[in-house]
Amino acid sequence: MTKRKQALGDRISEAEHAVMEALWTQSPLSASEVCDRVCAANDWSIPTVKTLLGRLVSKRVIGTEPQGRKFLYHPLIERSDYVGGESRRLVDRLFGGRAAPLFAQLAENEALTDADLEEIEALLKEMRK
C-alpha cells in the first residue's frame, strides 16, 4: 500500500468512510464484494457502492486493478494516516489545536470510562519517558 498522506481537499464522507473500512479490513475487493460487506447495514445497492468507489478513486484514496471484466479496489492511504489527519482536523477546528480541551470536554460529559482514563494515563506516562 502506498503511503499517501491525505490532503485537506480529500475529505472522505461518512458513506465513503464505510467503504474505506471494508477495504482497510480486506483488499483487494470487487464492487460486489464491497457491497456484500456494507450494503445491508446501510440500505445501499450495488450502484450506490459503485458511485462511492468512483468518488474514492477520483479522490485518489483508493486504486483499481483490472481483473477480467471487473475491477478490484484497494486503499492507497493507511487507516492510521486517515485517522491521524481527521483527529488533527477535529482538534484544530473545535479546540484551537489543543488536545487538553478535548479531553476536558469528554470528561465533563462523562464520555470517558475508568478504563479510558487508565489508558490515557498509561499513554501519557509512556510519552514522558
Side-chain angles (χ1 to χ4, degrees):
M1 187 180 313
T2 305
K3 286 269 191 170
R4 181 180 176 275
K5 292 285 185 180
Q6 188 182 13
L8 278 176
D10 290 334
R11 298 299 305 268
I12 295 173
S13 72
E14 200 169 321
E16 293 164 344
H17 181 255
V19 171
M20 289 301 298
E21 286 293 345
L23 292 170
W24 281 319
T25 300
Q26 182 182 353
S27 66
L29 295 174
S30 68
S32 63
E33 291 170 326
V34 171
C35 189
D36 290 344
R37 289 161 176 76
V38 300
C39 284
N42 294 289
D43 196 26
W44 295 340
S45 62
I46 191 71
T48 301
V49 168
K50 287 183 177 181
T51 297
L52 294 169
L53 289 166
R55 289 179 188 167
L56 291 165
V57 169
S58 295
K59 292 178 180 185
R60 292 190 241 155
V61 294
I62 65 172
T64 63
E65 53 189 88
Q67 185 185 57
R69 295 179 51 172
K70 63 183 176 181
F71 286 95
L72 297 180
Y73 299 89
H74 59 276
L76 296 176
I77 61 170
E78 300 283 346
R79 187 179 189 285
S80 59
D81 290 338
Y82 172 74
V83 169
E86 286 299 300
S87 299
R88 173 55 36 208
R89 268 198 261 327
L90 174 74
V91 170
D92 288 347
R93 185 169 39 106
L94 298 179
F95 300 101
R98 297 185 55 238
L102 168 64
F103 288 109
Q105 181 70 30
L106 291 171
E108 286 172 14
N109 290 307
E110 300 176 13
L112 296 174
T113 65
D114 287 339
D116 290 331
L117 293 172
E118 288 175 19
E119 191 173 341
I120 291 167
E121 288 171 356
L123 288 168
L124 291 172
K125 285 180 185 176
E126 184 65 30
M127 291 173 68
R128 288 187 176 131
K129 287 184 180 179

